[in-house]
Every structure is written in structure tokens, then in C-alpha cells.
């Protein structure tokens, strides 16, 4: 599907699969899985440098920022102040104004605190950030994030790392119909069919980490996800047949004995 | 010998030369300045400032960079 590009905040992407870089065995495995996924966008976290053991390698030695778009997140932030601090640090450390904004509400579910999210998004948009907000599958909040100036919205499929798949396809569908910016389904995908379903619903992209990194064979799963996202996108664009309760024969009656 | 002051780097106490800058500290720790962010007493520094901001006793320095992460 050449020419079917995704454009967000002035950035153009070939692949509609965004991948995280956490939970891999080592950087070599991270690199191989990301290559197999075909992703252009990779998410990273911002953390303290290990100053006591400088022998540790750097993730960006394995992921060339010229080849990939690095999308830093504010993972682990449970209030507006922390999310703003991490976003600003990410910009100071990085190469762009992109930020995957997370303001979490609860440690057990890692569900977004959408009140805090809206507040933080407003401030960061004003500061010139390209804010990609991790949000609930709530169409009203999604629209508010767009009104604030977010160039894309990232509703969850299910809790982060849960692998439960798409729990509320109807809400996601409403978001996709209501909101006029790219929708990236983020978090909760478990296997390839979940990613394909997200794309068939009309998502513009899917973001995942654990589904790949936690698989028995992460590199093979990365490749499976690449094809799932492509297949789902193609099916969405092709336009599926309507669902009907009764059969319709595909072979003609005419010419029968 | 230059006077030694106590500062805090990434939450740990450490000594450093009284006339040292943030840039000197990063070099001493063998940290490449590209793709790190430095916070000095909660103020995020522009990379260009590293060699111009001197450290004083009790300063709290945070040095951060990118690591693997998804959500």
C-alpha cells in the first residue's frame, strides 16, 4: 500500500504499527524485534542515567534516531506536575517535540487520569509540544483532547500489558467517526488478530509493546503484528460485506440439473 | 588543590571540585552530552549551558536519558 501514509503533527510514517522498547531481554533483541515489526515510530521512557555503572549500553546506540522516530513517553507519572516535568526533560534530551503523554490514575489498572491528562495536554500544547495523549476509550474526552490541539488521540484497547484485546470496539468506532484526527489504538493488544481488528475498525495505527516483547518468540510476533496491521488496514479500505443472519449462496442456481 | 564541595547527583551524595561546571561533572562521569537531559535544582538546562553553569554546595543534579519503555 504505497502512498497510504500516516501524517501526524507534520511527521509522515509508512508503517501504521508503533512499538514500545520495554521488557526485551536485551538491546540486541529489541533491535531485531523492531526491525521485524517494520515500525517507524518507537516509544522510549525517560529515566535517570546509571552513574555508578557506566559500562551499561545506551538504547539509542541500537536504535538510530535517523531511521526511527523516537517517541518519548511520560510513563509512570501519576500527576500533572510529574508528567510536565518528564515531557520537558524528554524534549531537552531528545531530538523532537513529540511526546506520548500519559497521566495515570491508578497503579493497578494503569488507566489514564483523563482530568489530569486534559490539564497537562493543554499546557504542553501551549509550550509547542506535539502531544499524543494516551487516553480512555471515551469519545468525549477524545474530542476534548483534539479541541485542545492534540494532532492524534491514543485510546486504549484494554489495560496496559493485559493482552485482553479490544474490550470496547463500539466506543473505539465512535471515537474514529467523531474525531477528525488520526486515532492510534494504544495498549492492551494481545495477539495479531487484535491488531487486525483495531485496523479493521478504522484505526489509523496501533501501538503495542508487551504483546511483542512478552511473546515466546518476540521477533516472530513482531513480524506477525506487521502483517496484522497491514491486513487490517487493507480490509478496512476494501470495505467489508454487511453482516447478515442467513446464508446467501455464492454459486448460481442457474444451470443446475 | 581545589576546594571540594558536596552535591547530589541522581539522588546520591558526591564530592566535586568547587569550580566545576555541569559540563565538567558530565565529563567526569563519562556521560556524553548528546541525548541526556540535565536538571539543576529542578531547572532543566539547555545543552548549551552545561559548560557555563557552575555547581555550588548542596546542588541537586538529575541526569536523565532514554531507556526502553512502552506505556
Amino acid at each position: 500500500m504505497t502512498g497510504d501514509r500516516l501524517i501526524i503533527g507534520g511527521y509522515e510514517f509508512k508503517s501504521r504499527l508503533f512499538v514500545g522498547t520495554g521488557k526485551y531481554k536485551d538491546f540486541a533483541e529489541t533491535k531485531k524485534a523492531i526491525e521485524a515489526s517494520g515500525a517507524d515510530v518507537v516509544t522510549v521512557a525517560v529515566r535517570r542515567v546509571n552513574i555508578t555503572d557506566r559500562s551499561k549500553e545506551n538504547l539509542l546506540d541500537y536504535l538510530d534516531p535517523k531511521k526511527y522516530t523516537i517517541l518519548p513517553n511520560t510513563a509512570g507519572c501519576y500527576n500533572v506536575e510529574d508528567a510536565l516535568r518528564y515531557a520537558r526533560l524528554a524534549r531537552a534530551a531528545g531530538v523532537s517535540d513529540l511526546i506520548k503523554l500519559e497521566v495515570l490514575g491508578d497503579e493497578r489498572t494503569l488507566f489514564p487520569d483523563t482530568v489530569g491528562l486534559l490539564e497537562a495536554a493543554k499546557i504542553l500544547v501551549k509550550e509547542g509540544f506535539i502531544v499524543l495523549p494516551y487516553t480512555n476509550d471515551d469519545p468525549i474526552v477524545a474530542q476534548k483532547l483534539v479541541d485542545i490541539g492534540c494532532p492524534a488521540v491514543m485510546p486504549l484497547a484494554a489495560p496496559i500489558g493485559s493482552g485482553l484485546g479490544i474490550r470496547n470496539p463500539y466506543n473505539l468506532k465512535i471515537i474514529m467517526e467523531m474525531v477528525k484526527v488520526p486515532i492510534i489504538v494504544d495498549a492492551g493488544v494481545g495477539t495479531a488478530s487484535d491488531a487486525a481488528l483495531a485496523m479493521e475498525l478504522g484505526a489509523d495505527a496501533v501501538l503495542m509493546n508487551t504483546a511483542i516483547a512478552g511473546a515466546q518468540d518476540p521477533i516472530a510476533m513482531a513480524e506477525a503484528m506487521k502483517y496484522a496491521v497491514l491486513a487490517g488496514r487493507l480490509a478496512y479500505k476494501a470495505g467489508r460485506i454487511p453482516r447478515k443472519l442467513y446464508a446467501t449462496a455464492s454459486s448460481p442456481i442457474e444451470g443446475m440439473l | 588543590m581545589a576546594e571540594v564541595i558536596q552535591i547530589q547527583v541522581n539522588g546520591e551524595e558526591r564530592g566535586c571540585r568547587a569550580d566545576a561546571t555541569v559540563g565538567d561533572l558530565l565529563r567526569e562521569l563519562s556521560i556524553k552530552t548528546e541525548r541526556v537531559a540535565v536538571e539543576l535544582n529542578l531547572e532543566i538546562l539547555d545543552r548549551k549551558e552545561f559548560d557555563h553553569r557552575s555547581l555550588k554546595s548542596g546542588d541537586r543534579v538529575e541526569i536523565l536519558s532514554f531507556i526502553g519503555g512502552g506505556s
Side-chain angles (χ1 to χ4, degrees), chain A residues 48-252:
Chain A
R48 279 173 165 168
V49 169
N50 185 338
I51 55 165
T52 45
D53 179 11
R54 296 297 307 138
S55 65
K56 286 212 167 176
E57 294 170 294
N58 189 311
L59 174 66
L60 292 194
D61 294 337
Y62 284 80
L63 298 175
D64 183 0
K66 289 190 197 80
K67 192 172 165 196
Y68 297 103
T69 300
I70 306 295
L71 175 59
N73 65 30
T74 62
C77 293
Y78 287 87
N79 58 60
V80 173
E81 292 68 31
D82 284 350
L84 296 177
R85 186 182 185 191
Y86 276 83
R88 290 163 182 156
L89 283 163
R91 178 153 74 176
V95 283
S96 77
D97 296 324
L98 284 166
I99 191 77
K100 180 189 172 196
L101 180 62
E102 298 181 29
V103 183
L104 303 174
D106 165 62
E107 281 183 36
R108 194 161 172 218
T109 61
L110 299 177
F111 278 144
D113 168 1
T114 51
V115 176
L117 180 70
L118 286 162
E119 196 184 327
K122 206 171 197 170
I123 295 165
L124 292 173
V125 166
K126 273 196 190 124
E127 292 181 11
F129 282 87
I130 299 165
V131 179
L132 309 184
Y134 164 66
T135 184
N136 241 313
D137 52 8
D138 178 339
I140 307 302
V141 173
Q143 184 57 50
K144 285 186 186 212
L145 288 161
V146 175
D147 294 342
I148 281 170
C150 297
V153 177
M154 307 208 292
L156 53 78
I160 293 168
S162 69
L164 288 172
I166 294 166
R167 293 297 81 212
N168 199 338
Y170 303 105
N171 266 35
L172 288 179
K173 189 75 194 164
I174 292 171
I175 294 176
M176 288 160 198
E177 289 197 3
M178 260 177 74
V179 170
K180 301 296 172 217
V181 298
I183 303 299
I184 304 159
V185 171
D186 178 10
V189 165
T191 187
S193 53
D194 297 334
L197 176 58
M199 296 307 292
E200 286 170 13
L201 285 169
D204 295 280
V206 181
L207 194 162
M208 64 182 76
N209 190 156
T210 309
I212 296 174
Q216 299 277 316
D217 182 344
I219 294 145
M221 187 57 91
E223 195 177 3
M225 292 299 186
K226 174 170 91 176
Y227 292 121
V229 167
L230 279 171
R233 176 71 180 168
L234 273 168
Y236 169 72
K237 292 192 81 171
R240 60 153 299 151
I241 59 161
R243 288 179 174 86
K244 288 186 294 187
L245 194 56
Y246 295 101
T248 315
S250 342
S251 305

Side-chain angles (χ1 to χ4, degrees), chain B residues 38-52:
Chain B
V38 177
E39 210 183 59
L40 176 59
N41 302 321
L42 299 178
E43 179 200 350
I44 298 169
L45 302 183
D46 191 297
R47 205 166 279 137
K48 292 192 286 281
E49 293 179 75
F50 290 172
D51 284 326
H52 307 288

